[in-house]
Amino acid sequence: MDEHGMYFGKNELYNIIRSCGGTWNDSKKRPIICIMKSIECDGLYWAIPVGNYEHRDDKAKQRIQKYLNFDKKDIRSCFYHIGNTNEKSIFFISDVIPFTDSYIDREYLNKSGRIHIVKNKVLLSALKYKLGRILEFENRKPNYFRQNITSVKEYMIYEIKSTKPDET
């Protein structure tokens, strides 16, 4: 998996979220962007769902703007981010999920038919900052967010470690 690459997840990923007690009701099959590797386990990444901002109605745009306007000290200011991928996009940072290569359904392709890799350093910096705050908050309050980040992460770490051959 490429950091900053965009993918579509397999349905099994979303079933794991639900089986871990989380909620995942995204029927649109949004692409996700791999933001960074986990420091807790080799092979585990953090991914954020991405949507087209222009597909939102005015009410949804106002709601997103409300969150973006919260004081920077307020964790809710990190729930969303607006930036450009190959279009004006909304990043659903508080819907972050742990992710592994085995849950990639397919790559999100750009206009040239290659995997779309986000290269905008300013955008990536903002996403990493907000994601870091969300994960820090989650570490203090496990399973605070609706997708049960901590339980899904523990499931995936167990899965990774149980599939690695013994190195003896």
Side-chain angles (χ1 to χ4, degrees):
M1 180 174 331
D2 291 317
E3 279 187 289
H4 315 146
M6 293 180 66
Y7 303 90
F8 289 96
K10 291 180 179 176
N11 283 330
E12 295 95 309
L13 172 65
Y14 308 115
N15 291 334
I16 289 169
I17 293 168
R18 289 186 280 272
S19 73
C20 289
T23 300
W24 194 271
N25 51 13
D26 180 9
S27 60
K28 297 179 181 137
K29 286 283 279 182
R30 297 180 205 284
I32 55 176
I33 178 173
C34 174
I35 297 296
M36 61 188 176
K37 292 180 181 179
S38 169
I39 58 172
E40 295 177 69
C41 182
D42 191 38
L44 187 68
Y45 298 83
W46 293 107
I48 298 170
V50 181
N52 184 323
Y53 182 77
E54 299 306 331
H55 290 172
R56 305 288 171 281
D57 62 21
D58 287 338
K59 185 176 178 183
K61 288 178 182 178
Q62 288 172 2
R63 181 178 179 277
I64 292 165
Q65 203 57 52
K66 179 182 96 173
Y67 279 89
L68 294 173
N69 289 333
F70 278 118
D71 186 278
K72 299 283 184 225
K73 294 178 188 173
D74 190 324
I75 191 65
R76 294 175 297 176
S77 70
C78 296
F79 285 11
Y80 301 103
H81 191 79
I82 297 172
N84 288 318
T85 53
N86 55 341
E87 55 199 16
K88 189 171 185 180
S89 299
I90 177 78
F91 297 86
F92 300 91
I93 301 169
S94 62
D95 285 341
V96 59
I97 51 173
F99 197 73
T100 67
D101 285 331
S102 61
Y103 293 105
I104 295 173
D105 183 39
R106 66 188 190 282
E107 297 171 337
Y108 178 83
L109 303 178
N110 60 23
K111 291 175 181 157
S112 65
R114 293 195 194 125
I115 181 173
H116 188 82
I117 306 286
V118 175
K119 296 178 181 174
N120 181 322
K121 292 181 194 300
V122 174
L123 173 60
L124 291 169
S125 178
L127 294 174
K128 287 178 182 180
Y129 171 76
K130 288 182 175 184
L131 175 58
R133 290 208 42 221
I134 294 288
L135 294 176
E136 181 182 299
F137 189 88
E138 176 70 16
N139 282 337
R140 289 194 315 269
K141 296 183 180 195
N143 293 326
Y144 176 86
F145 296 94
R146 65 183 172 175
Q147 69 275 32
N148 282 2
I149 299 168
T150 300
S151 291
V152 175
K153 175 186 73 172
E154 289 169 353
Y155 176 93
M156 289 196 174
I157 289 173
Y158 174 79
E159 188 176 70
I160 290 167
K161 290 184 177 182
S162 66
T163 58
K164 282 187 179 177
D166 287 338
E167 297 176 8
T168 55

